[in-house]
Coordinates of all heavy atoms in Angstrom, one line a residue:
P1 N 0.3 -26.0 -36.4 CA 1.8 -25.8 -36.5 C 2.4 -25.5 -35.2 O 1.7 -24.8 -34.4 CB 1.9 -24.7 -37.5 CG 0.6 -24.5 -38.1 CD -0.4 -25.3 -37.4
A2 N 3.5 -25.9 -35.0 CA 4.2 -25.7 -33.7 C 4.6 -24.3 -33.4 O 4.6 -23.8 -32.3 CB 5.5 -26.6 -33.6
A3 N 4.8 -23.5 -34.5 CA 5.2 -22.1 -34.4 C 4.0 -21.2 -34.1 O 4.2 -20.1 -33.7 CB 5.9 -21.6 -35.6
A4 N 2.8 -21.6 -34.2 CA 1.6 -20.8 -34.1 C 1.4 -20.5 -32.6 O 1.6 -21.4 -31.7 CB 0.5 -21.4 -34.7
A5 N 1.1 -19.3 -32.2 CA 0.9 -18.9 -30.8 C -0.5 -19.4 -30.4 O -1.4 -19.3 -31.1 CB 1.1 -17.4 -30.6
D6 N -0.7 -19.8 -29.1 CA -2.0 -20.2 -28.6 C -2.5 -19.1 -27.8 O -2.0 -18.8 -26.7 CB -1.7 -21.5 -27.7 CG -3.1 -22.0 -27.2 OD1 -4.1 -21.5 -27.6 OD2 -3.0 -22.9 -26.3
F7 N -3.6 -18.4 -28.2 CA -4.2 -17.3 -27.6 C -5.4 -17.7 -26.8 O -6.1 -16.8 -26.4 CB -4.5 -16.1 -28.6 CG -3.3 -15.6 -29.3 CD1 -3.0 -15.9 -30.6 CD2 -2.5 -14.8 -28.6 CE1 -1.9 -15.3 -31.1 CE2 -1.4 -14.2 -29.1 CZ -1.1 -14.4 -30.5
S8 N -5.7 -18.9 -26.6 CA -6.9 -19.4 -25.9 C -6.9 -19.2 -24.4 O -7.8 -19.1 -23.8 CB -7.1 -20.9 -26.2 OG -6.1 -21.6 -25.8
E9 N -5.7 -19.1 -23.8 CA -5.5 -18.9 -22.4 C -5.3 -17.4 -22.1 O -4.4 -16.9 -22.7 CB -4.4 -19.8 -21.8 CG -4.7 -21.3 -22.0 CD -3.6 -22.1 -21.3 OE1 -3.0 -21.7 -20.3 OE2 -3.3 -23.1 -21.9
P10 N -5.9 -16.9 -21.1 CA -5.7 -15.5 -20.7 C -4.3 -15.4 -20.0 O -3.9 -16.3 -19.3 CB -6.8 -15.1 -19.7 CG -7.2 -16.5 -19.2 CD -7.0 -17.5 -20.3
L11 N -3.7 -14.3 -20.1 CA -2.4 -14.0 -19.5 C -2.7 -13.6 -18.1 O -3.6 -12.9 -17.7 CB -1.7 -12.9 -20.2 CG -1.3 -13.1 -21.7 CD1 -0.7 -11.9 -22.2 CD2 -0.3 -14.3 -21.7
D12 N -1.8 -14.2 -17.1 CA -2.0 -13.8 -15.7 C -1.5 -12.4 -15.4 O -1.9 -11.8 -14.5 CB -1.2 -14.9 -14.9 CG -1.9 -16.2 -14.9 OD1 -3.0 -16.4 -15.2 OD2 -1.1 -17.2 -14.7
E13 N -0.5 -12.0 -16.1 CA 0.1 -10.7 -15.9 C -0.5 -9.7 -16.7 O -0.8 -9.9 -17.9 CB 1.7 -10.7 -16.1 CG 2.4 -11.7 -15.1 CD 3.9 -11.6 -15.4 OE1 4.3 -10.8 -16.1 OE2 4.5 -12.6 -14.9
P14 N -0.7 -8.4 -16.2 CA -1.3 -7.4 -17.0 C -0.2 -6.9 -18.0 O 1.0 -7.0 -17.7 CB -1.7 -6.3 -16.1 CG -0.9 -6.5 -14.8 CD -0.6 -8.0 -14.8
A15 N -0.6 -6.3 -19.1 CA 0.3 -5.7 -20.0 C 1.1 -4.6 -19.4 O 0.6 -4.0 -18.4 CB -0.5 -5.2 -21.3
A16 N 2.3 -4.4 -19.8 CA 3.2 -3.4 -19.2 C 2.5 -2.1 -19.2 O 2.7 -1.3 -18.3 CB 4.5 -3.4 -19.9
D17 N 1.8 -1.7 -20.3 CA 1.2 -0.3 -20.3 C 0.0 -0.2 -19.4 O -0.4 0.9 -19.2 CB 0.8 0.0 -21.8 CG -0.1 -1.0 -22.4 OD1 -0.2 -2.1 -21.9 OD2 -0.8 -0.6 -23.4
D18 N -0.6 -1.3 -18.9 CA -1.6 -1.2 -17.9 C -1.2 -0.9 -16.5 O -1.9 -0.4 -15.7 CB -2.4 -2.5 -17.9 CG -3.2 -2.8 -19.1 OD1 -3.5 -1.8 -19.9 OD2 -3.7 -3.9 -19.4
E19 N 0.0 -1.2 -16.2 CA 0.6 -1.1 -14.9 C 0.6 0.3 -14.4 O 0.1 0.6 -13.3 CB 1.9 -1.8 -14.7 CG 1.9 -3.3 -14.7 CD 3.2 -3.9 -14.7 OE1 4.2 -3.3 -14.1 OE2 3.4 -5.1 -15.1
P20 N 1.0 1.3 -15.2 CA 0.9 2.7 -14.7 C -0.5 3.1 -14.4 O -0.7 3.9 -13.4 CB 1.5 3.5 -15.8 CG 2.4 2.5 -16.5 CD 1.7 1.2 -16.4
A21 N -1.4 2.7 -15.1 CA -2.8 3.1 -14.9 C -3.3 2.5 -13.6 O -4.0 3.2 -12.8 CB -3.7 2.7 -16.1
D22 N -3.0 1.2 -13.4 CA -3.3 0.6 -12.1 C -2.7 1.2 -10.9 O -3.3 1.5 -9.9 CB -3.0 -0.9 -12.2 CG -3.9 -1.7 -13.2 OD1 -4.9 -1.2 -13.5 OD2 -3.5 -2.8 -13.5
A23 N -1.4 1.6 -11.1 CA -0.7 2.2 -10.0 C -1.2 3.6 -9.7 O -1.4 4.0 -8.6 CB 0.8 2.4 -10.4
A24 N -1.6 4.3 -10.7 CA -2.2 5.6 -10.6 C -3.6 5.6 -9.9 O -3.9 6.3 -9.1 CB -2.4 6.3 -11.9
A25 N -4.4 4.5 -10.4 CA -5.7 4.3 -9.7 C -5.5 3.9 -8.3 O -6.3 4.4 -7.4 CB -6.5 3.2 -10.4
L26 N -4.5 3.1 -8.0 CA -4.3 2.7 -6.5 C -3.9 4.0 -5.8 O -4.4 4.2 -4.6 CB -3.2 1.7 -6.5 CG -2.9 1.2 -5.1 CD1 -4.1 0.5 -4.4 CD2 -1.7 0.1 -5.2
K27 N -3.0 4.8 -6.3 CA -2.6 6.0 -5.6 C -3.8 6.9 -5.4 O -3.9 7.5 -4.3 CB -1.5 6.7 -6.5 CG -0.9 7.9 -5.8 CD 0.3 8.5 -6.6 CE 0.9 9.6 -5.9 NZ 2.0 10.2 -6.6
R28 N -4.6 7.1 -6.4 CA -5.8 8.0 -6.2 C -6.7 7.4 -5.1 O -7.3 8.2 -4.3 CB -6.6 8.0 -7.6 CG -6.0 9.0 -8.5 CD -7.0 9.3 -9.7 NE -7.5 8.2 -10.3 CZ -6.9 7.5 -11.3 NH1 -5.7 8.0 -11.8 NH2 -7.3 6.4 -11.9
K29 N -6.9 6.1 -5.1 CA -7.7 5.5 -4.0 C -7.2 5.8 -2.7 O -7.9 6.1 -1.8 CB -8.0 4.0 -4.3 CG -8.9 3.4 -3.3 CD -9.1 1.9 -3.6 CE -10.0 1.2 -2.6 NZ -10.2 1.8 -1.3
K30 N -5.9 5.5 -2.6 CA -5.2 5.7 -1.2 C -5.3 7.2 -0.9 O -5.6 7.5 0.3 CB -3.7 5.3 -1.3 CG -3.5 3.9 -1.3 CD -2.0 3.5 -1.3 CE -1.8 2.1 -1.3 NZ -0.3 1.8 -1.3
N31 N -5.2 8.1 -1.8 CA -5.3 9.5 -1.5 C -6.7 9.9 -1.1 O -6.9 10.7 -0.2 CB -4.9 10.4 -2.7 CG -4.8 11.8 -2.4 OD1 -4.2 12.2 -1.4 ND2 -5.5 12.6 -3.2
T32 N -7.7 9.4 -1.8 CA -9.1 9.5 -1.5 C -9.4 9.0 -0.1 O -10.1 9.8 0.7 CB -10.1 8.8 -2.5 OG1 -9.7 9.5 -3.8 CG2 -11.5 9.0 -2.2
D33 N -8.9 7.9 0.2 CA -9.1 7.3 1.6 C -8.5 8.1 2.7 O -9.1 8.5 3.7 CB -8.7 5.9 1.7 CG -9.4 4.9 0.8 OD1 -10.6 5.3 0.4 OD2 -9.0 3.8 0.5
A34 N -7.3 8.6 2.3 CA -6.6 9.5 3.4 C -7.3 10.8 3.5 O -7.4 11.3 4.7 CB -5.1 9.7 2.8
A35 N -7.8 11.4 2.5 CA -8.5 12.6 2.5 C -9.8 12.4 3.3 O -10.2 13.3 4.2 CB -8.9 13.2 1.2
R36 N -10.5 11.3 3.1 CA -11.7 11.0 3.9 C -11.4 10.9 5.4 O -12.1 11.5 6.2 CB -12.3 9.7 3.4 CG -13.7 9.4 4.1 CD -14.3 8.2 3.4 NE -14.7 8.4 2.0 CZ -14.3 7.8 1.0 NH1 -13.5 6.8 1.0 NH2 -14.7 8.2 -0.2
R37 N -10.3 10.2 5.7 CA -10.0 10.0 7.1 C -9.6 11.4 7.7 O -9.9 11.7 8.8 CB -8.8 9.0 7.2 CG -9.1 7.6 7.1 CD -8.0 6.7 7.5 NE -6.8 7.0 6.8 CZ -6.4 6.5 5.6 NH1 -7.2 5.7 5.0 NH2 -5.2 6.8 5.1
S38 N -8.9 12.2 6.9 CA -8.5 13.5 7.5 C -9.7 14.4 7.7 O -9.8 15.1 8.7 CB -7.6 14.2 6.4 OG -7.3 15.5 6.8
R39 N -10.7 14.3 6.8 CA -11.9 15.1 7.1 C -12.7 14.6 8.3 O -13.2 15.4 9.0 CB -12.8 15.1 5.8 CG -12.3 15.8 4.6 CD -13.4 16.0 3.5 NE -13.7 14.7 3.0 CZ -13.1 14.1 1.9 NH1 -12.1 14.7 1.3 NH2 -13.4 12.9 1.4
M40 N -12.7 13.3 8.5 CA -13.4 12.8 9.7 C -12.7 13.2 10.9 O -13.3 13.5 11.9 CB -13.5 11.2 9.6 CG -14.4 10.7 8.5 SD -16.1 11.3 8.7 CE -16.5 10.4 10.2
R41 N -11.3 13.2 11.0 CA -10.5 13.6 12.1 C -10.9 15.1 12.4 O -11.0 15.5 13.5 CB -9.0 13.4 11.8 CG -8.5 12.1 12.1 CD -7.1 11.9 12.2 NE -6.4 12.6 11.1 CZ -6.0 12.0 9.9 NH1 -6.3 10.7 9.7 NH2 -5.4 12.6 9.0
K42 N -11.0 16.0 11.3 CA -11.2 17.3 11.5 C -12.6 17.5 12.1 O -12.8 18.3 13.0 CB -11.2 18.0 10.1 CG -11.4 19.5 10.2 CD -11.3 20.2 8.9 CE -11.6 21.6 8.9 NZ -11.6 22.3 7.6
I43 N -13.6 16.7 11.7 CA -15.0 16.9 12.2 C -15.0 16.5 13.7 O -15.6 17.2 14.5 CB -15.9 16.0 11.4 CG1 -16.2 16.6 10.0 CG2 -17.3 15.9 12.1 CD1 -16.9 15.7 9.0
L44 N -14.3 15.4 13.9 CA -14.2 15.0 15.4 C -13.5 16.0 16.3 O -13.9 16.3 17.4 CB -13.4 13.6 15.4 CG -13.3 13.0 16.8 CD1 -14.7 12.8 17.5 CD2 -12.5 11.8 16.8
R45 N -12.4 16.6 15.7 CA -11.7 17.6 16.5 C -12.6 18.9 16.7 O -12.6 19.4 17.8 CB -10.4 18.1 15.7 CG -9.6 19.0 16.5 CD -8.3 19.3 15.7 NE -7.5 20.3 16.4 CZ -7.5 21.6 16.2 NH1 -8.3 22.0 15.2 NH2 -6.8 22.4 16.8
I46 N -13.3 19.3 15.7 CA -14.2 20.4 15.8 C -15.3 20.1 16.8 O -15.7 21.0 17.7 CB -14.8 20.8 14.4 CG1 -13.7 21.5 13.6 CG2 -16.0 21.7 14.6 CD1 -14.1 21.7 12.2
E47 N -15.9 18.9 16.8 CA -16.9 18.6 17.8 C -16.4 18.5 19.2 O -17.0 19.0 20.1 CB -17.5 17.2 17.4 CG -18.3 17.2 16.2 CD -18.9 15.8 15.7 OE1 -18.4 14.8 16.4 OE2 -19.7 15.8 14.9
T48 N -15.2 18.0 19.3 CA -14.5 18.1 20.7 C -14.3 19.4 21.1 O -14.5 19.8 22.4 CB -13.2 17.3 20.6 OG1 -13.5 15.9 20.1 CG2 -12.5 17.2 22.0
L49 N -13.8 20.3 20.3 CA -13.5 21.7 20.6 C -14.8 22.5 21.0 O -14.9 23.2 21.9 CB -12.8 22.4 19.6 CG -11.4 22.0 19.3 CD1 -10.7 22.7 18.1 CD2 -10.5 22.3 20.6
E50 N -15.9 22.2 20.2 CA -17.2 22.8 20.5 C -17.8 22.3 21.9 O -18.2 23.2 22.6 CB -18.2 22.5 19.4 CG -17.9 23.2 18.1 CD -18.8 22.8 17.0 OE1 -19.4 21.7 17.1 OE2 -18.9 23.5 16.0
S51 N -17.5 21.2 22.2 CA -18.0 20.6 23.4 C -17.2 21.3 24.6 O -17.7 21.7 25.6 CB -17.8 19.1 23.5 OG -18.1 18.6 24.8
R52 N -15.9 21.4 24.4 CA -15.0 22.1 25.4 C -15.4 23.5 25.6 O -15.4 24.0 26.8 CB -13.5 21.9 25.0 CG -12.6 22.5 25.9 CD -12.5 21.6 27.2 NE -11.5 22.1 28.1 CZ -11.6 22.2 29.4 NH1 -12.6 21.8 30.0 NH2 -10.6 22.7 30.1
V53 N -15.7 24.2 24.5 CA -16.1 25.6 24.6 C -17.4 25.7 25.4 O -17.5 26.6 26.3 CB -16.3 26.2 23.2 CG1 -17.1 27.5 23.2 CG2 -15.0 26.4 22.5
S54 N -18.3 24.8 25.2 CA -19.6 24.8 25.9 C -19.3 24.6 27.4 O -19.9 25.2 28.3 CB -20.5 23.8 25.4 OG -21.7 23.7 26.1
E55 N -18.4 23.7 27.7 CA -18.1 23.4 29.1 C -17.4 24.6 29.8 O -17.8 25.0 30.9 CB -17.1 22.2 29.2 CG -17.6 20.9 28.9 CD -16.6 19.8 28.9 OE1 -15.4 20.0 29.3 OE2 -16.8 18.7 28.4
L56 N -16.5 25.2 29.1 CA -15.8 26.4 29.7 C -16.8 27.6 29.8 O -16.6 28.3 30.7 CB -14.6 26.8 28.7 CG -13.5 25.7 28.8 CD1 -12.4 26.1 27.8 CD2 -12.9 25.7 30.2
E57 N -17.7 27.8 28.9 CA -18.7 28.9 29.0 C -19.5 28.7 30.2 O -19.8 29.6 31.0 CB -19.5 29.0 27.7 CG -18.8 29.6 26.6 CD -19.6 29.6 25.3 OE1 -20.6 28.7 25.2 OE2 -19.3 30.4 24.4
G58 N -20.0 27.3 30.4 CA -20.7 27.1 31.7 C -19.9 27.4 32.9 O -20.4 28.0 33.9
E59 N -18.6 27.0 32.9 CA -17.8 27.2 34.1 C -17.6 28.7 34.3 O -17.6 29.2 35.4 CB -16.4 26.4 33.9 CG -15.6 26.6 35.1 CD -14.2 25.9 35.0 OE1 -14.0 25.2 33.9 OE2 -13.4 25.9 35.9
N60 N -17.4 29.4 33.2 CA -17.2 30.8 33.3 C -18.4 31.5 33.9 O -18.3 32.4 34.8 CB -16.9 31.4 31.9 CG -16.4 32.9 32.0 OD1 -15.9 33.3 32.9 ND2 -16.8 33.6 30.9
T61 N -19.6 31.1 33.5 CA -20.8 31.6 34.1 C -20.9 31.4 35.5 O -21.2 32.2 36.4 CB -22.1 31.1 33.3 OG1 -22.0 31.4 31.9 CG2 -23.4 31.6 33.9
R62 N -20.7 30.1 35.9 CA -20.7 29.7 37.4 C -19.7 30.5 38.2 O -20.0 31.0 39.2 CB -20.5 28.2 37.5 CG -20.5 27.7 38.9 CD -20.1 26.2 38.9 NE -18.7 26.0 38.5 CZ -17.6 26.1 39.3 NH1 -17.8 26.7 40.5 NH2 -16.5 25.8 38.9
L63 N -18.5 30.7 37.6 CA -17.5 31.4 38.4 C -17.8 32.9 38.5 O -17.5 33.5 39.5 CB -16.1 31.2 37.8 CG -15.5 29.8 37.8 CD1 -14.3 29.7 37.1 CD2 -15.3 29.5 39.3
S64 N -18.4 33.4 37.4 CA -18.8 34.8 37.5 C -19.9 35.1 38.6 O -19.8 36.1 39.3 CB -19.4 35.3 36.1 OG -18.4 35.3 35.2
Q65 N -20.8 34.1 38.7 CA -21.8 34.2 39.7 C -21.2 34.1 41.1 O -21.6 34.8 42.1 CB -22.9 33.1 39.5 CG -23.7 33.3 38.3 CD -24.6 32.1 37.9 OE1 -24.5 31.1 38.5 NE2 -25.5 32.4 37.0
L66 N -20.3 33.2 41.3 CA -19.5 33.0 42.6 C -18.8 34.3 42.9 O -18.9 34.8 44.1 CB -18.6 31.9 42.4 CG -17.8 31.6 43.8 CD1 -18.7 31.2 44.9 CD2 -16.8 30.4 43.5
V67 N -18.1 35.0 41.9 CA -17.5 36.2 42.2 C -18.4 37.3 42.7 O -18.2 38.0 43.7 CB -16.6 36.7 40.9 CG1 -16.2 38.1 41.1 CG2 -15.5 35.8 40.7
A68 N -19.6 37.3 42.0 CA -20.6 38.3 42.3 C -21.1 38.1 43.8 O -21.3 39.0 44.6 CB -21.6 38.4 41.4
Q69 N -21.3 36.9 44.1 CA -21.8 36.4 45.5 C -20.8 36.8 46.5 O -21.0 37.4 47.5 CB -22.1 35.0 45.5 CG -22.5 34.5 46.9 CD -22.6 32.9 46.9 OE1 -22.6 32.3 45.9 NE2 -22.7 32.4 48.1
L70 N -19.5 36.5 46.3 CA -18.4 36.7 47.2 C -18.2 38.2 47.4 O -17.9 38.7 48.5 CB -17.2 36.0 46.8 CG -17.2 34.5 46.9 CD1 -15.9 33.9 46.3 CD2 -17.4 34.0 48.3
E71 N -18.3 39.0 46.3 CA -18.1 40.4 46.4 C -19.3 41.0 47.3 O -19.2 42.0 48.0 CB -18.1 41.1 45.1 CG -16.8 40.9 44.4 CD -16.7 41.5 43.0 OE1 -17.8 41.9 42.4 OE2 -15.6 41.5 42.4
A72 N -20.5 40.5 47.1 CA -21.6 41.0 47.9 C -21.4 40.7 49.4 O -21.7 41.5 50.2 CB -22.9 40.4 47.4
E73 N -20.9 39.4 49.7 CA -20.6 39.1 51.0 C -19.6 40.0 51.6 O -19.6 40.4 52.8 CB -20.2 37.6 51.1 CG -21.3 36.6 50.9 CD -20.8 35.2 50.9 OE1 -19.7 34.9 51.4 OE2 -21.6 34.3 50.5
K74 N -18.5 40.2 50.8 CA -17.4 41.1 51.3 C -18.0 42.5 51.6 O -17.6 43.1 52.6 CB -16.4 41.2 50.2 CG -15.2 42.2 50.5 CD -14.3 42.2 49.3 CE -13.3 43.3 49.4 NZ -12.5 43.5 48.2
A75 N -18.8 43.0 50.7 CA -19.4 44.4 51.0 C -20.3 44.4 52.2 O -20.2 45.3 53.0 CB -20.2 44.8 49.8
A76 N -21.1 43.3 52.4 CA -21.9 43.2 53.6 C -21.0 43.1 54.8 O -21.4 43.7 55.9 CB -22.8 41.9 53.6
M77 N -19.9 42.4 54.9 CA -19.0 42.3 56.0 C -18.3 43.7 56.3 O -18.2 44.1 57.4 CB -17.9 41.2 55.7 CG -18.5 39.9 55.8 SD -17.1 38.8 55.4 CE -17.5 37.3 56.3
A78 N -18.0 44.4 55.2 CA -17.4 45.7 55.4 C -18.3 46.6 56.1 O -18.0 47.4 56.9 CB -16.9 46.2 54.0
R79 N -19.6 46.6 55.7 CA -20.6 47.4 56.3 C -20.9 47.0 57.8 O -21.1 47.9 58.6 CB -21.9 47.3 55.5 CG -22.0 48.1 54.2 CD -23.4 48.2 53.6 NE -23.9 46.9 53.3 CZ -23.8 46.2 52.2 NH1 -23.0 46.6 51.3 NH2 -24.4 45.0 52.1
A80 N -20.8 45.8 58.0 CA -21.0 45.3 59.4 C -19.9 45.8 60.3 O -20.1 46.0 61.6 CB -21.1 43.8 59.5
V81 N -18.7 45.9 59.8 CA -17.6 46.3 60.6 C -17.6 47.7 60.9 O -17.2 48.1 62.0 CB -16.2 45.9 59.9 CG1 -15.0 46.5 60.6 CG2 -16.1 44.4 59.8
L82 N -18.1 48.5 60.0 CA -18.1 50.0 60.2 C -19.2 50.3 61.2 O -19.7 50.6 62.0 CB -18.4 50.7 58.9 CG -17.3 50.6 57.9 CD1 -17.6 51.3 56.6 CD2 -15.9 51.2 58.5

């Protein structure tokens, strides 16, 4: 009969009630990906800061030793002048 519907071919478009679920799933995936990128940026930033702290601690040690050396030289010069 001409009025009978043909259900043998699948529909290309999802049903209207499926779209919100797909949109929500897409939004969750985007949020998950964004959170993952944010965590990776945080880890990279922490590693960079830890490296910088190590560099500055080394420089601080070197400068403290230089100050001690210069103070010793200053004291020796003061004694030589007297």
